[in-house]
Amino acid sequence: MSDKSPLVGIVMGSASDAQAMRQCAAVLEQLDIPYEMKVCSAHRTPVRAHEFVSTAKARGLKVIIAAAGMSAHLAGVMAAGTHIPVLGVPMDGKLMGGLDALLSTCNMPKGIPVGTMSMGSHGAVNAALFAASILALSDAGIEKRLLAYREAQTAAVPEYPPE
Ligand code: RP5
């Protein structure tokens, strides 16, 4: 983690979500975007979750990334507590491969939106890239690094499959 003030807050419902969410953190580090990361459960540590979201704007966070599995209401709880953008990452591997978490995260009733990513580590990486896109709207340095990341990704794709 950087010693600059965090722009992105990553929260996860359990330490068991950390393996996937470290991939989110790794992309933010690659793009030199300062972040903070916490285990913050909507149901097991509701006071900690409330404290995190109610101070997010004042602490300078611009985007919150919330990952949870099973009955995954963490992203919705975060979005209910702030108007800054909340990106939800449903954790996979539970009921029906994570369909429970996918539906719980994405199917928010109108009024309080959660931008839902794909499941598991793919969603974790995409959440970091989506956060970078949001931040790039007002930060030319992040925009430059995001574009370089995408160019490098394109250059790394072989034209032909291996023999
Ligand atoms: C959710 O329940 C967490 O986000 C996690 O994905 C899932 C299971 O948590 P553990 O029982 O592994 O702590 O709250």
Coordinates of all heavy atoms in Angstrom, one line a residue, residues 23-93:
Q23 N -5.7 -9.4 -5.9 CA -5.5 -9.1 -7.4 C -6.0 -7.8 -7.8 O -5.5 -7.1 -8.7 CB -6.2 -10.2 -8.2 CG -5.5 -11.6 -7.9 CD -6.0 -12.7 -8.8 OE1 -6.0 -12.5 -10.0 NE2 -6.5 -13.8 -8.2
C24 N -7.1 -7.3 -7.1 CA -7.6 -5.9 -7.3 C -6.5 -5.0 -6.8 O -6.1 -4.0 -7.5 CB -8.9 -5.8 -6.4 SG -9.6 -4.2 -6.5
A25 N -6.0 -5.2 -5.6 CA -4.9 -4.3 -5.0 C -3.7 -4.3 -5.9 O -3.1 -3.2 -6.1 CB -4.6 -4.8 -3.6
A26 N -3.4 -5.5 -6.5 CA -2.1 -5.5 -7.3 C -2.3 -4.6 -8.6 O -1.3 -3.9 -9.0 CB -1.9 -7.0 -7.8
V27 N -3.5 -4.6 -9.1 CA -3.7 -3.7 -10.3 C -3.6 -2.2 -9.9 O -3.0 -1.4 -10.6 CB -5.0 -4.0 -11.0 CG1 -5.3 -3.0 -12.2 CG2 -5.0 -5.4 -11.6
L28 N -4.2 -1.9 -8.8 CA -4.2 -0.5 -8.3 C -2.7 -0.1 -8.1 O -2.3 1.0 -8.4 CB -5.0 -0.3 -7.0 CG -6.5 -0.5 -7.2 CD1 -7.2 -0.4 -5.8 CD2 -7.1 0.6 -8.1
E29 N -1.9 -1.0 -7.5 CA -0.5 -0.7 -7.3 C 0.2 -0.5 -8.6 O 1.0 0.4 -8.7 CB 0.2 -1.9 -6.5 CG -0.1 -1.7 -5.0 CD 0.3 -2.9 -4.2 OE1 1.3 -3.7 -4.6 OE2 -0.3 -3.2 -3.1
Q30 N -0.1 -1.4 -9.6 CA 0.5 -1.2 -10.9 C 0.2 0.1 -11.5 O 1.1 0.7 -12.2 CB 0.0 -2.3 -11.8 CG 0.9 -2.9 -12.8 CD 0.3 -4.0 -13.6 OE1 -0.5 -4.8 -13.0 NE2 0.6 -4.1 -14.8
L31 N -1.0 0.6 -11.2 CA -1.4 1.9 -11.8 C -1.0 3.1 -10.9 O -1.4 4.2 -11.1 CB -2.9 1.9 -12.1 CG -3.3 0.9 -13.1 CD1 -4.9 0.9 -13.2 CD2 -2.7 1.2 -14.5
D32 N -0.3 2.8 -9.8 CA 0.1 3.8 -8.8 C -1.1 4.6 -8.3 O -1.1 5.8 -8.2 CB 1.1 4.7 -9.4 CG 1.9 5.5 -8.4 OD1 1.9 5.1 -7.2 OD2 2.5 6.5 -8.7
I33 N -2.2 3.9 -7.9 CA -3.4 4.4 -7.3 C -3.4 4.1 -5.8 O -3.5 2.9 -5.5 CB -4.6 3.9 -8.0 CG1 -4.7 4.4 -9.5 CG2 -5.9 4.4 -7.3 CD1 -5.8 3.8 -10.3
P34 N -3.3 5.0 -4.9 CA -3.3 4.7 -3.5 C -4.7 4.1 -3.1 O -5.7 4.6 -3.5 CB -3.0 6.0 -2.8 CG -3.2 7.1 -3.8 CD -3.2 6.5 -5.2
Y35 N -4.6 3.1 -2.2 CA -5.8 2.5 -1.8 C -5.7 2.0 -0.3 O -4.6 2.0 0.2 CB -6.1 1.2 -2.7 CG -5.1 0.1 -2.5 CD1 -5.3 -0.9 -1.6 CD2 -3.9 0.1 -3.2 CE1 -4.3 -1.9 -1.4 CE2 -3.0 -0.9 -3.1 CZ -3.2 -1.9 -2.1 OH -2.2 -2.8 -2.0
E36 N -6.8 1.7 0.3 CA -6.8 1.0 1.6 C -7.6 -0.2 1.5 O -8.5 -0.3 0.6 CB -7.3 2.0 2.7 CG -8.7 2.4 2.5 CD -9.2 3.4 3.6 OE1 -8.3 3.9 4.4 OE2 -10.4 3.5 3.7
M37 N -7.4 -1.2 2.3 CA -8.1 -2.5 2.2 C -8.4 -2.9 3.6 O -7.6 -2.9 4.5 CB -7.1 -3.5 1.5 CG -7.8 -4.7 1.2 SD -7.0 -5.5 -0.3 CE -5.4 -6.0 0.3
K38 N -9.7 -3.3 3.8 CA -10.2 -3.7 5.1 C -11.1 -4.9 5.0 O -11.9 -5.0 4.0 CB -11.0 -2.6 5.7 CG -10.2 -1.8 6.7 CD -11.2 -0.9 7.6 CE -10.4 -0.6 8.8 NZ -11.1 0.3 9.7
V39 N -11.2 -5.7 6.0 CA -12.2 -6.7 6.2 C -13.3 -6.0 6.9 O -13.1 -5.4 8.0 CB -11.8 -8.0 6.9 CG1 -13.0 -8.9 7.2 CG2 -10.7 -8.7 6.2
C40 N -14.5 -6.1 6.4 CA -15.6 -5.2 6.8 C -16.9 -5.9 6.5 O -17.4 -5.7 5.4 CB -15.4 -3.9 6.1 SG -16.0 -2.4 6.8
S41 N -17.5 -6.7 7.4 CA -18.7 -7.4 7.1 C -19.9 -6.6 7.4 O -20.0 -6.0 8.5 CB -18.6 -8.7 7.9 OG -19.9 -9.4 7.8
A42 N -20.9 -6.7 6.5 CA -22.2 -6.0 6.7 C -22.9 -6.6 7.9 O -23.6 -5.9 8.6 CB -23.0 -6.1 5.4
H43 N -22.7 -7.9 8.1 CA -23.5 -8.6 9.2 C -22.7 -8.9 10.4 O -23.2 -8.9 11.5 CB -24.3 -9.8 8.6 CG -23.4 -10.7 7.8 ND1 -23.3 -10.5 6.4 CD2 -22.6 -11.7 8.1 CE1 -22.5 -11.4 5.9 NE2 -22.0 -12.1 6.9
R44 N -21.4 -9.3 10.2 CA -20.6 -9.7 11.4 C -19.9 -8.5 12.1 O -19.7 -8.5 13.3 CB -19.5 -10.7 11.0 CG -20.0 -12.0 10.6 CD -18.9 -12.9 10.0 NE -19.3 -14.2 9.7 CZ -18.7 -15.0 8.7 NH1 -17.7 -14.5 8.1 NH2 -19.1 -16.2 8.5
T45 N -19.6 -7.4 11.3 CA -19.0 -6.2 11.9 C -19.8 -5.0 11.4 O -19.2 -4.1 10.7 CB -17.5 -6.1 11.5 OG1 -17.4 -6.0 10.1 CG2 -16.7 -7.4 12.0
P46 N -21.0 -4.9 11.7 CA -21.8 -3.8 11.1 C -21.3 -2.4 11.6 O -21.4 -1.4 10.8 CB -23.3 -4.1 11.6 CG -23.1 -5.0 12.7 CD -21.9 -5.8 12.5
V47 N -20.8 -2.3 12.8 CA -20.4 -1.0 13.3 C -19.1 -0.6 12.5 O -19.0 0.6 12.0 CB -20.1 -1.1 14.8 CG1 -19.4 0.2 15.3 CG2 -21.3 -1.4 15.6
R48 N -18.2 -1.6 12.2 CA -17.0 -1.2 11.4 C -17.4 -0.8 10.0 O -16.8 0.1 9.4 CB -16.1 -2.5 11.4 CG -14.7 -2.2 10.9 CD -13.9 -3.4 10.6 NE -13.7 -4.2 11.8 CZ -13.3 -5.5 11.8 NH1 -12.9 -6.1 10.7 NH2 -13.2 -6.2 13.0
A49 N -18.4 -1.5 9.4 CA -18.9 -1.2 8.1 C -19.4 0.2 8.0 O -19.1 1.0 7.1 CB -19.9 -2.2 7.6
H50 N -20.2 0.5 9.0 CA -20.8 1.9 9.1 C -19.7 2.9 9.2 O -19.7 4.0 8.6 CB -21.8 2.0 10.2 CG -22.4 3.3 10.5 ND1 -23.2 3.9 9.6 CD2 -22.1 4.3 11.4 CE1 -23.5 5.2 10.0 NE2 -22.8 5.4 11.1
E51 N -18.8 2.7 10.1 CA -17.7 3.6 10.4 C -16.9 3.9 9.1 O -16.6 5.0 8.7 CB -16.8 3.0 11.5 CG -15.4 3.7 11.7 CD -15.6 5.0 12.4 OE1 -16.6 5.3 12.9 OE2 -14.6 5.8 12.3
F52 N -16.6 2.8 8.3 CA -15.9 2.9 7.1 C -16.6 3.7 6.1 O -16.0 4.7 5.5 CB -15.6 1.5 6.5 CG -14.8 1.5 5.2 CD1 -13.4 1.4 5.3 CD2 -15.4 1.7 4.0 CE1 -12.7 1.5 4.1 CE2 -14.6 1.8 2.8 CZ -13.3 1.6 2.9
V53 N -17.9 3.5 5.9 CA -18.6 4.2 4.8 C -18.9 5.6 5.2 O -18.9 6.5 4.4 CB -19.8 3.4 4.3 CG1 -21.0 3.4 5.2 CG2 -20.2 3.9 2.9
S54 N -19.2 5.8 6.5 CA -19.7 7.1 6.9 C -18.5 8.1 6.9 O -18.8 9.3 6.9 CB -20.4 7.1 8.2 OG -19.5 6.6 9.2
T55 N -17.3 7.6 6.9 CA -16.1 8.6 6.9 C -15.4 8.6 5.5 O -14.4 9.3 5.4 CB -15.1 8.1 8.0 OG1 -14.7 6.8 7.7 CG2 -15.7 8.2 9.4
A56 N -15.9 7.8 4.6 CA -15.2 7.6 3.3 C -15.0 8.9 2.6 O -13.8 9.2 2.2 CB -16.0 6.6 2.4
K57 N -16.0 9.7 2.4 CA -15.9 10.9 1.6 C -14.9 11.9 2.3 O -14.0 12.4 1.6 CB -17.3 11.5 1.4 CG -17.3 12.9 0.7 CD -17.4 12.7 -0.8 CE -17.8 13.9 -1.5 NZ -16.9 15.1 -1.4
A58 N -15.1 12.0 3.6 CA -14.2 13.0 4.3 C -12.8 12.5 4.3 O -11.8 13.3 4.4 CB -14.7 13.1 5.7
R59 N -12.5 11.2 4.2 CA -11.1 10.7 4.2 C -10.5 10.8 2.8 O -9.4 10.4 2.6 CB -11.1 9.2 4.7 CG -11.3 9.2 6.2 CD -11.2 7.8 6.8 NE -12.2 6.9 6.4 CZ -12.1 5.9 5.6 NH1 -10.9 5.5 5.1 NH2 -13.1 5.1 5.2
G60 N -11.3 11.2 1.8 CA -10.8 11.4 0.5 C -11.0 10.3 -0.5 O -10.5 10.3 -1.6
L61 N -11.7 9.3 -0.1 CA -12.0 8.2 -1.0 C -12.9 8.7 -2.1 O -13.8 9.4 -1.9 CB -12.6 7.0 -0.3 CG -11.8 6.3 0.8 CD1 -12.6 5.1 1.3 CD2 -10.5 5.8 0.2
K62 N -12.6 8.2 -3.4 CA -13.4 8.6 -4.5 C -14.2 7.4 -5.1 O -15.1 7.6 -5.8 CB -12.5 9.0 -5.7 CG -11.5 10.1 -5.3 CD -12.2 11.5 -5.2 CE -11.2 12.6 -5.1 NZ -11.6 13.6 -4.1
V63 N -13.8 6.2 -4.7 CA -14.5 5.0 -5.2 C -14.3 3.9 -4.1 O -13.3 3.8 -3.5 CB -13.8 4.4 -6.5 CG1 -14.6 3.2 -7.0 CG2 -13.7 5.4 -7.6
I64 N -15.4 3.2 -3.9 CA -15.3 2.1 -2.9 C -15.6 0.8 -3.7 O -16.5 0.7 -4.6 CB -16.4 2.2 -1.8 CG1 -16.1 3.3 -0.9 CG2 -16.5 0.9 -1.0 CD1 -17.1 3.6 0.2
I65 N -14.7 -0.2 -3.5 CA -14.9 -1.5 -4.1 C -15.2 -2.5 -3.0 O -14.5 -2.6 -2.0 CB -13.5 -2.0 -4.8 CG1 -13.2 -1.0 -6.0 CG2 -13.7 -3.4 -5.3 CD1 -11.8 -1.2 -6.6
A66 N -16.4 -3.1 -3.1 CA -16.9 -4.0 -2.0 C -17.1 -5.4 -2.6 O -17.8 -5.7 -3.5 CB -18.2 -3.5 -1.5
A67 N -16.4 -6.4 -1.9 CA -16.4 -7.8 -2.4 C -17.1 -8.6 -1.3 O -16.7 -8.4 -0.1 CB -15.0 -8.3 -2.6
A68 N -18.0 -9.5 -1.7 CA -18.6 -10.4 -0.7 C -19.2 -11.6 -1.4 O -19.4 -11.5 -2.6 CB -19.7 -9.6 0.1
G69 N -19.3 -12.6 -0.6 CA -19.8 -13.9 -1.2 C -21.1 -14.2 -0.5 O -21.6 -13.6 0.5
M70 N -21.8 -15.3 -1.0 CA -23.1 -15.8 -0.4 C -24.2 -14.7 -0.5 O -24.4 -14.1 -1.6 CB -22.9 -16.4 1.0 CG -21.8 -17.5 1.0 SD -21.5 -18.2 2.6 CE -22.9 -19.3 2.7
S71 N -24.8 -14.4 0.6 CA -25.9 -13.4 0.6 C -25.2 -12.0 0.6 O -25.1 -11.4 1.7 CB -26.7 -13.5 1.8 OG -28.0 -13.6 1.6
A72 N -24.7 -11.6 -0.5 CA -23.6 -10.6 -0.5 C -24.2 -9.2 -0.5 O -24.4 -8.5 -1.5 CB -22.8 -10.7 -1.8
H73 N -24.5 -8.7 0.7 CA -25.1 -7.4 0.8 C -24.2 -6.2 1.1 O -24.6 -5.1 1.3 CB -26.3 -7.4 1.8 CG -26.0 -8.3 3.0 ND1 -26.8 -9.3 3.4 CD2 -25.0 -8.3 3.8 CE1 -26.3 -9.9 4.4 NE2 -25.2 -9.3 4.7
L74 N -22.9 -6.5 1.2 CA -21.9 -5.5 1.6 C -21.9 -4.3 0.6 O -21.9 -3.2 1.1 CB -20.5 -6.1 1.7 CG -19.4 -5.1 2.1 CD1 -19.7 -4.5 3.5 CD2 -18.0 -5.8 2.2
A75 N -21.9 -4.6 -0.7 CA -21.8 -3.5 -1.6 C -23.1 -2.6 -1.5 O -23.0 -1.4 -1.6 CB -21.7 -4.0 -3.1
G76 N -24.2 -3.2 -1.3 CA -25.5 -2.5 -1.1 C -25.4 -1.6 0.1 O -25.9 -0.5 0.1
V77 N -24.9 -2.2 1.2 CA -24.8 -1.4 2.4 C -23.8 -0.2 2.3 O -24.1 0.9 2.7 CB -24.3 -2.4 3.6 CG1 -23.9 -1.6 4.8 CG2 -25.4 -3.3 4.0
M78 N -22.7 -0.5 1.6 CA -21.8 0.6 1.3 C -22.5 1.7 0.5 O -22.4 2.9 0.8 CB -20.6 0.1 0.5 CG -19.6 -0.7 1.3 SD -18.7 0.2 2.6 CE -19.0 -0.7 4.0
A79 N -23.2 1.3 -0.6 CA -23.9 2.3 -1.5 C -25.0 3.0 -0.7 O -25.2 4.2 -1.0 CB -24.4 1.5 -2.7
A80 N -25.6 2.4 0.2 CA -26.6 3.0 1.0 C -26.0 4.1 1.9 O -26.7 5.1 2.2 CB -27.4 2.0 1.9
G81 N -24.8 4.0 2.2 CA -24.1 4.9 3.2 C -23.4 6.1 2.5 O -22.8 6.9 3.3
T82 N -23.3 6.1 1.2 CA -22.5 7.2 0.6 C -23.0 7.4 -0.9 O -23.5 6.5 -1.5 CB -21.0 6.8 0.6 OG1 -20.3 7.9 0.0 CG2 -20.7 5.6 -0.2
H83 N -22.7 8.6 -1.4 CA -23.1 8.8 -2.8 C -21.8 8.6 -3.7 O -21.9 8.7 -4.9 CB -23.6 10.2 -3.0 CG -22.7 11.3 -2.7 ND1 -22.3 11.6 -1.4 CD2 -21.9 12.0 -3.5 CE1 -21.4 12.6 -1.5 NE2 -21.1 12.8 -2.7
I84 N -20.6 8.3 -3.1 CA -19.5 8.1 -4.0 C -19.7 6.7 -4.7 O -20.4 5.8 -4.1 CB -18.1 8.2 -3.3 CG1 -17.9 7.1 -2.3 CG2 -17.9 9.6 -2.7 CD1 -16.5 7.2 -1.6
P85 N -19.1 6.5 -5.9 CA -19.4 5.2 -6.6 C -19.0 4.0 -5.9 O -17.9 4.0 -5.3 CB -18.7 5.4 -7.9 CG -18.1 6.7 -8.0 CD -18.2 7.4 -6.6
V86 N -19.8 3.0 -5.9 CA -19.5 1.7 -5.2 C -19.5 0.6 -6.3 O -20.5 0.5 -7.0 CB -20.5 1.4 -4.1 CG1 -20.3 -0.1 -3.6 CG2 -20.5 2.4 -3.0
L87 N -18.4 -0.1 -6.4 CA -18.3 -1.2 -7.4 C -18.4 -2.5 -6.6 O -17.6 -2.7 -5.6 CB -17.0 -1.1 -8.1 CG -16.7 0.2 -8.8 CD1 -15.4 0.2 -9.5 CD2 -17.9 0.5 -9.8
G88 N -19.3 -3.4 -6.9 CA -19.4 -4.6 -6.2 C -18.7 -5.8 -6.9 O -18.8 -5.9 -8.1
V89 N -18.1 -6.6 -6.1 CA -17.4 -7.8 -6.7 C -18.0 -9.1 -6.0 O -17.7 -9.3 -4.9 CB -15.9 -7.8 -6.5 CG1 -15.3 -9.0 -7.2 CG2 -15.3 -6.5 -7.1
P90 N -18.9 -9.8 -6.7 CA -19.4 -11.0 -6.1 C -18.3 -12.1 -6.1 O -17.7 -12.4 -7.1 CB -20.5 -11.4 -7.1 CG -20.6 -10.4 -8.2 CD -19.4 -9.6 -8.1
M91 N -18.2 -12.7 -4.9 CA -17.2 -13.7 -4.7 C -17.8 -15.1 -5.2 O -18.9 -15.4 -5.0 CB -16.8 -13.9 -3.3 CG -16.0 -12.7 -2.7 SD -14.3 -12.6 -3.4 CE -14.5 -11.4 -4.7
D92 N -17.0 -15.8 -6.0 CA -17.5 -17.1 -6.6 C -17.2 -18.2 -5.6 O -16.7 -18.1 -4.5 CB -16.9 -17.3 -7.9 CG -15.4 -17.3 -7.9 OD1 -14.8 -17.3 -6.8 OD2 -14.8 -17.2 -9.0
G93 N -17.7 -19.4 -6.1 CA -17.3 -20.6 -5.3 C -18.3 -21.0 -4.2 O -18.0 -22.0 -3.5

